[in-house]
Amino acid sequence: MKRGPIETQRRRSHRRFSAAIGSFWDGRGCFLVRRSAPLNNAELCSTELQQCSKVSFCQWNMALLRTLLTPGLSGTLHTAGARSLTSGSLQTDALNFWSGARVHLGDVTKSEAVYEPATGRVLCRMQPCGAAEVDAAVGSASAAFREWSKLAGMERARVMLEAARLIEQKRREEIAEVEVVNNGKSITEARLDVDSARLSIEYFAGQATTLSGQYVQLPGGSFAYTRREPLGVCVGIGAWNYPFQIAAWKSAPAIACGNSMVFKPSPVTPLSAVLLAEVYQQAGAPEGLFNVVQGLQETGSLLCRHPDVAKLSFTGSVSTGQKIMEMASRGLKPVTLELGGKSPLIIFEDAEVENAVRGALMANFLSQGQVLVKGDLLTLPLPIPLLAGTSCFLYLQVCSNGTRVFVQRSLAPRFISEVVRRTEQIRIGNPLLEETRMGPLVSRSHLDRVMGYVQQARQEGARVLCGGERFTPADPALKDGYYMTPCVLDGCTDGMTCVKEEIFGPVMSVLTFDTEEEVLQRANDSALGLAAGVFTKGNVCHRSVFILLMLRVNFSDEHSHVYLSICLSVCLRSARDLQRAHRVIEKLQAGSCFINNYNVTPVEVPFGGYKSSGIGRENGRVTIEFYSQLKTVVVEMGDVDSLF
């Protein structure tokens, strides 16, 4: 039987990780480990084959982490990362990285616990960096900048392309597994995150070779030219929703322009950024080009105020972004801020219900896992190139989620019924299993916060059509995980807290509207403007045109006039239908907009928001302007004219 690319990749992954922990996959969602006594750390990697017994999620997870949390790419075991099977704690403190290597901080008394969302157990200890460590990391980045900035764009591109190759061919599954264990998202989504990171590095590797200035002819044979030059040491501060992807999205344009970077991950998800640092190092980057410092608010403030830092890029909340901008202003440092959103998704009555439902689910529940279920349920519309690992676009971003779903009144009953049906069938559970489509939220405090919003929505008069409750998976090892059922709220009004404030969880608020003018006013009534989406009938007509074009071979020459008449008629209808889509998008106050789709973020196009949702853009060629500066040079070819 011929296997598809996904099935082949899955089986290879299972074989590789089975070998890593001395086990094999039984084909039914369980790992089997051969043993003759109760499991311990040594036996998990033993080759003794005497009898088989099933390994629980936690035991398999612990063994997996011993393999993945390594100081280098050689695959050798990082002994400091060995996780205790009895206590469930992973003693990992070498998560900082500068001068080309992981850095172990001597003082372990100030370490912070990092929790595993799927089980609620302590995953590892994170050592925050103080002033001395920040100085060391910035000093390392400064030294690398002096070397890296002198390289030609082609030379930088070679290193970046090698990093992308290592991610794709050597580390993809490992990084995705670490992301799942640390963040709680499904393995399906984690793999797409890693692919997006790799695509961003590849894209900006290409941009590195195109950096150029402008030539201007002046009178008398004189001329002027401009040079696009790097800024220096850039600081990136990431969020917990896409730890690895954000690290790549910020570092790729920075280093393509000749800068170096010090990156601080979220203290909630500190594990995967150091893997990117190792990848860059093995790809041939100079020591200190990409550095990782762990820490809380104090560490971030030290980075923002450091005199040798030239640029700040932050992804996170509006309130924190405002503080970072204030600190940057003291040194007149440029900033890129990708902040929160409360994005509207507008569904008109002529929209294709199937696509509108898919879009709404993708716009609301992607943060806890891809909405991809089997049978007659929702399937993620992945393009064929993505299945082959060569796609140029992915379904990403959480802060851009369209959580305010405006549905035209006549369509609302049918739309809501289908959304509820499919939401109730989303598979929740162990995020490392292939069939899981929604894992836990990232932390207990965040789970409590999201549940609080659902309770408040009830009190304010919203109807909970499904979900909004804590969920306990069947596996007893997951009983303390941070799970909840995805929630759909109906009867919402514009003044409700669930409609006004960013929840950042699997909660969809459905609102009805009557006219285009009304919904535009309501959709724009927000201080945020990250994203927006519109579903209307235009995609049906475009699809009809496409089908007709594909059927062109079935028309004989004598029937060509019939074929052309049909195409013209459909095209005219399509133009009329799409007028509303473009008209509405033009009037929506948002930086990233979608027509008949949602949360599609190809690395080739810019991503960012209006209003309080941020400053600057990530991805696309325009990002080069935010990580470089322009120098003007005037060359006089004659004598100097002087008034003196």
Side-chain angles (χ1 to χ4, degrees), residues 235-521:
V235 162
I237 301 178
W240 49 255
N241 53 345
Y242 287 94
F244 189 80
Q245 180 227 50
I246 290 176
W249 276 23
K250 293 187 183 302
S251 62
I255 65 177
C257 291
N259 304 291
S260 59
M261 175 165 279
V262 179
F263 185 80
K264 190 191 88 65
S266 165
V268 180
T269 53
L271 296 183
S272 57
V274 70
L275 302 181
L276 180 60
E278 292 173 343
V279 167
Y280 281 136
Q281 192 65 35
Q282 187 177 5
E287 294 183 358
L289 182 67
F290 182 78
N291 309 271
V292 178
V293 296
Q294 307 287 349
L296 305 175
Q297 180 178 347
E298 179 185 357
T299 306
S301 297
L302 289 169
L303 286 169
C304 293
R305 295 187 175 120
H306 200 286
D308 294 336
V309 168
K311 153 89 179 182
L312 303 173
S313 179
F314 169 74
T315 297
S317 69
V318 175
S319 59
T320 304
Q322 291 171 334
K323 294 176 183 177
I324 287 176
M325 191 172 182
E326 180 182 353
M327 288 185 283
S329 68
R330 298 172 186 174
L332 295 179
K333 299 174 183 178
V335 297
T336 295
L337 302 176
E338 199 270 274
L339 307 178
K342 192 65 181 177
S343 303
L345 176 62
I346 302 172
I347 301 173
F348 287 100
E349 59 187 356
D350 62 350
E352 243 188 328
V353 175
E354 174 70 14
N355 274 338
V357 170
R358 290 185 179 191
L361 292 174
M362 287 295 295
N364 281 268
F365 302 142
L366 185 60
S367 58
Q368 276 65 44
Q370 298 286 339
V371 187
L372 170 60
V373 283
K374 298 180 180 178
D376 64 338
L377 307 180
L378 178 67
T379 55
L380 182 67
L382 297 178
I384 295 301
L386 178 59
L387 301 181
T390 59
S391 168
C392 64
F393 65 92
L394 298 167
Y395 296 81
L396 300 167
Q397 291 300 318
V398 176
C399 42
S400 61
N401 276 359
T403 53
R404 293 187 293 151
V405 181
F406 293 92
V407 186
Q408 201 151 18
R409 196 175 304 277
S410 60
L411 183 65
R414 182 183 173 194
F415 172 85
I416 292 172
S417 174
E418 187 65 10
V419 162
V420 170
R421 183 182 77 85
R422 297 190 180 196
T423 300
E424 290 177 333
Q425 297 180 73
I426 294 174
R427 297 183 180 180
I428 310 170
N430 178 351
L432 283 164
L433 297 182
E434 298 288 341
E435 60 267 25
T436 297
R437 292 299 169 252
M438 184 171 289
L441 275 69
V442 75
S443 68
R444 182 169 300 281
S445 61
H446 189 62
L447 172 63
D448 293 339
R449 178 178 180 271
V450 175
M451 295 294 294
Y453 273 109
V454 176
Q455 181 61 29
Q456 187 171 4
R458 282 194 180 100
Q459 295 171 356
E460 294 179 358
R463 295 185 297 274
V464 179
L465 301 183
C466 66
E469 300 174 343
R470 293 180 185 269
F471 178 80
T472 303
D475 188 343
L478 308 179
K479 64 181 179 64
D480 295 324
Y482 315 134
Y483 297 90
M484 71 172 287
T485 51
C487 178
V488 178
L489 300 174
D490 186 25
C492 299
T493 60
D494 297 338
M496 291 181 177
T497 305
C498 63
V499 176
K500 294 190 299 181
E501 297 183 10
E502 185 179 28
I503 298 177
F504 223 63
V507 180
M508 179 193 302
S509 300
V510 180
L511 306 97
T512 58
F513 71 94
D514 293 304
T515 68
E516 178 182 316
E517 293 74 16
E518 169 205 345
V519 75
L520 277 169
Q521 188 277 327

